[in-house]
Amino acid sequence: LKKIIPENKFKGAAFVDLKLTATGVINIMVVPVNFSDTNIINTNFLNLIFFGPLFSSVSNYYYLNSYGKLRMGGKVFNPILLPKSRVYYGASDPSTDEFAKESAALFASIEATNISNFSPYDNNSDNVIDIVVFIHAGSGREIPPYDPDNLHSHMWELKYMNTNISPGNNSNYYFNKYIVVPEITTRF
């Protein structure tokens, strides 16, 4: 991890919430996550789900529900590889410091992807990447049969974990809000 955000960075009013408008284009980063023992099935499908022309895409959902005033843009990046097994990361208790370290590992892995331009993902020009969506391989803990070895889907802000980090690469941007969700959401 290259930089820790200075403590006073999060004291401004801009961090009370996203302060994003509900019109125009909001860009998000979508980062598939592989584990040493489990891989994402199909990143092309993630592109369709988030940004494709499908009626049920995330982008189309926001466009339709805003009456054409909001478009969701962004990119599905190449998968990052976490060095340990799915069970290792799934066993982390969200109320512990260990969980914060594991969350930080997701962001540290972004550095290895050589993304050089983070500006499209700072929608309100406050030097904070507004949202990162991590789609992890496999199922989530909240999906029947509720396997405790799976990651539990969640949304959080790194500022609450004292783990506010920069993507490195001499970047002036910082991460804060993120979402972790599984690739597989139902069992047939």
Side-chain angles (χ1 to χ4, degrees):
L1 303 176
K2 303 274 185 194
K3 289 189 240 179
I4 301 294
I5 292 181
E7 186 177 327
N8 62 359
K9 177 70 179 168
F10 287 106
K11 290 186 178 173
F15 267 26
V16 173
D17 52 53
L18 277 178
K19 301 286 185 196
L20 297 176
T21 63
T23 60
V25 177
I26 294 178
N27 291 310
I28 62 171
M29 293 179 69
V30 179
V31 182
V33 178
N34 291 329
F35 305 106
S36 65
D37 62 343
T38 312
N39 291 322
I40 289 280
I41 296 170
N42 188 332
T43 56
N44 291 331
F45 183 66
L46 292 178
N47 250 322
L48 281 174
I49 291 293
F50 276 90
F51 309 113
L54 302 172
F55 181 75
S56 59
S57 72
V58 173
S59 178
N60 199 40
Y61 171 85
Y62 282 100
Y63 180 75
L64 292 173
N65 284 283
S66 69
Y67 299 99
K69 295 180 182 176
L70 177 65
R71 293 188 180 274
M72 183 70 66
K75 180 178 178 180
V76 175
F77 290 87
N78 290 329
I80 58 175
L81 174 63
L82 293 180
K84 298 186 178 171
S85 71
R86 175 190 57 81
V87 171
Y88 173 83
Y89 295 100
S92 295
D93 180 344
S95 64
T96 65
D97 287 340
E98 191 62 30
F99 184 78
K101 291 176 191 171
E102 302 312 335
S103 296
L106 292 171
F107 289 97
S109 297
I110 289 178
E111 289 185 35
T113 64
N114 296 318
I115 301 168
S116 59
N117 183 11
F118 289 94
S119 63
Y121 310 103
D122 176 13
N123 296 285
N124 55 359
S125 301
D126 64 354
N127 286 50
V128 177
I129 298 162
D130 294 307
I131 194 79
V132 180
V133 179
F134 291 103
I135 309 286
H136 67 80
S139 187
R141 186 180 296 179
E142 66 280 0
I143 307 300
Y146 311 108
D147 184 346
D149 289 335
N150 287 332
L151 267 76
H152 199 287
S153 296
H154 65 281
M155 182 178 117
W156 200 247
E157 295 183 51
L158 293 173
K159 71 178 182 178
Y160 296 125
M161 294 188 282
N162 274 343
T163 315
N164 309 310
I165 63 172
S166 162
N169 303 323
N170 297 317
S171 175
N172 291 323
Y173 294 96
Y174 297 94
F175 293 113
N176 185 35
K177 292 186 180 194
Y178 72 93
I179 299 170
V180 175
V181 294
E183 166 191 35
I184 300 170
T185 59
T186 59
R187 293 182 183 234
F188 298 99

